[in-house]
Amino acid sequence: MLPSALHHLSTLSRTALPWLAAALVLPLHAATPAYLTIGTGALNGVYYPAGGAICRLLNEDNASHGLHCTVQSTSGSLANLKELGQGKIQLALVQSDVVHHAAHGTGPFVGQPPNDRLRSLFRLHQESLTLIAGANSNINTLADIEGKRVDLGNPGSGERVTSQALLDAMGWQESSFAPVIPSSINNRLEGLCDGTLDAAFMVAGHPNQGIGDLTGRCKARIIPIEGEQIDRLLKNHPYYQRGRIGANLYPGQPSGVNTFAVTAELVALDSLPDTQVRTVRDVLTARLKQFTRLHPALTTLTLDSMLAEAEVPRHPGMEDAVLPPPSLLPESLTPQESEGSAATASPAAQSAAQATGDGAAAQAATSGAMATQPTVVAPVSAAQATQAVTAEPPSAAVATQAASAALGSAPADTQGAAPSGASGSVNQPLTVTPSASVPVQ
């Protein structure tokens, strides 16, 4: 081999190899295992399948990002916030009114300091306060429930928080209703079927499996929640919004039903690492269309609605990361040595070009000079963040091709295939850690 070619190859090795080494390290770092558990709700509600949909998408790609996700069934919003604070879960699905009260020390959190550590990731589906009446209850309007046997939701549940807001708006107390015979926590609404209960409140995304059972098997009916008192409630409490349960979602429900609603919010503590939050963000953003198909309650979601202003500040990990500009100089070279290497590469490349007549060495000289220049890395946008992270720097690819040309071999393919991650079907079973007893949420 010509001495000039050997000299040029030595120069390229010192310049390009640090880039190549860095590119090989990046995928290994990205795949460092980490684990998330999402607190959800009842198995027959919407929180559980919604959390399962998030975990399913994360787990399908965990070979590339290293984040493993588990969904946990719980008794709902308040239990999720408690377990979040205890570190038993890392993400939680919580009603927007419960998030508001937790952040301000009001409602069920009176006497506790405001929780200033809660951070929002996404706003998901709307959850309607749903009034269900027994088939023989003679209840046709909201006003008809006064004096009846009405289940207001389990004490300490998110449903009880929302139904209590309705009672306050209507000027009712618990004593405004007839006593309710206590029932099993798992079958608290069975009284709508056996006649021991006249009506019940549920906070639910629609369609809901539990409500479908009650309306189908027991002929229960959904009653509108509307009127002047509801208008004032919405005006005074912006974390509530108007809602409408669509027509024909349940047996015997041919038309839409007016009500008011909360939003299911995906929240975390401010201590959750930004990198893990960005992974959740990037996966859901890139696969939003598939996510909205995993449950009917999610079909209306858009990226704008999911990123709308929430009751607590947005987690910093939801913002774009600003990467510092890397130094392209190998640690073993001083700036003067690097400049000298680039300068001596030019005559060698010219000699090689004259010997081969194909201009490859001239390209090598260009890449050698390029490799010694610093590169400023622009901030990564949310859209760019969803692309594969294993692509190598352009200068490394050029340098490798030039080195191959100097050796007289074919240029190597330095681009490489991005890791495809797990290719499991969306119908694969979820990892479940259910609570001992779960009411319908």
Side-chain angles (χ1 to χ4, degrees), residues 42-49 132 189 202 204-217 249-251 295-297 440-441:
L43 296 175
N44 63 349
V46 177
Y47 274 16
Y48 181 76
I132 310 168
L189 302 185
M202 289 181 63
H206 296 281
N208 177 281
Q209 181 181 344
I211 296 176
D213 174 65
L214 293 171
T215 54
R217 178 171 59 90
L249 290 181
Y250 304 105
H295 191 278
V440 176
Q441 169 98 0

Side-chain angles (χ1 to χ4, degrees), residues 150-426:
V150 181
D151 188 303
L152 301 174
N154 290 320
S157 68
E159 286 171 337
R160 191 61 167 261
V161 172
T162 310
S163 65
Q164 185 62 53
L166 173 66
L167 264 60
D168 294 342
M170 298 295 295
W172 290 335
Q173 308 292 330
E174 289 188 39
S175 58
S176 302
F177 309 101
V180 174
I181 300 175
S183 59
S184 167
I185 193 171
N186 285 324
N187 294 307
R188 70 180 184 89
L189 302 185
E190 189 61 27
L192 294 172
C193 299
D194 62 25
T196 59
L197 194 63
D198 295 315
F201 285 104
M202 289 181 63
V203 173
H206 296 281
N208 177 281
Q209 181 181 344
I211 296 176
D213 174 65
L214 293 171
T215 54
R217 178 171 59 90
C218 308
K219 311 301 180 185
R221 295 168 294 112
I222 300 177
I223 306 301
I225 300 177
E226 56 190 357
E228 294 181 3
Q229 297 91 335
I230 306 303
D231 294 340
R232 285 198 297 270
L233 173 67
L234 299 179
K235 182 178 180 180
N236 295 331
H237 302 287
Y239 45 83
Y240 293 127
Q241 54 195 288
R242 295 192 186 278
R244 185 171 176 84
I245 302 170
N248 299 312
L249 290 181
Y250 304 105
Q253 188 231 333
S255 59
V257 178
N258 291 329
T259 182
F260 71 94
V262 296
T263 302
E265 298 200 14
L266 183 65
V267 299
L269 296 182
D270 55 3
S271 56
L272 187 64
D274 291 1
T275 53
Q276 296 183 21
V277 174
R278 286 193 186 99
T279 297
V280 176
R281 177 200 69 180
D282 294 345
V283 169
L284 291 189
T285 299
R287 306 183 68 180
L288 178 59
K289 189 173 184 180
Q290 182 179 355
F291 177 61
T292 60
R293 292 175 175 174
L294 293 179
H295 191 278
L298 306 176
T299 55
T300 61
L301 294 181
T302 65
L303 189 58
D304 286 343
S305 69
M306 292 171 66
L307 295 176
E309 184 177 357
E311 296 301 319
V312 292
R314 186 167 295 168
H315 195 288
M318 294 296 292
E319 308 298 337
D320 290 334
V322 178
L323 303 179
S327 172
L328 304 188
L329 294 179
E331 293 181 358
S332 60
L333 292 181
T334 65
Q336 292 78 9
E337 290 173 333
S338 179
E339 291 174 2
S341 298
T344 57
S346 181
Q350 292 174 0
S351 299
Q354 293 173 357
T356 61
D358 58 5
Q363 179 186 1
T366 302
S367 66
M370 289 171 57
T372 63
Q373 300 301 318
T375 301
V376 178
V377 179
V380 180
S381 68
Q384 292 169 332
T386 62
Q387 304 300 318
V389 299
T390 57
E392 298 179 355
S395 58
V398 174
T400 306
Q401 291 173 356
S404 299
L407 290 171
S409 60
D413 181 7
T414 61
Q415 188 64 25
S420 60
S423 57
S425 166
V426 295

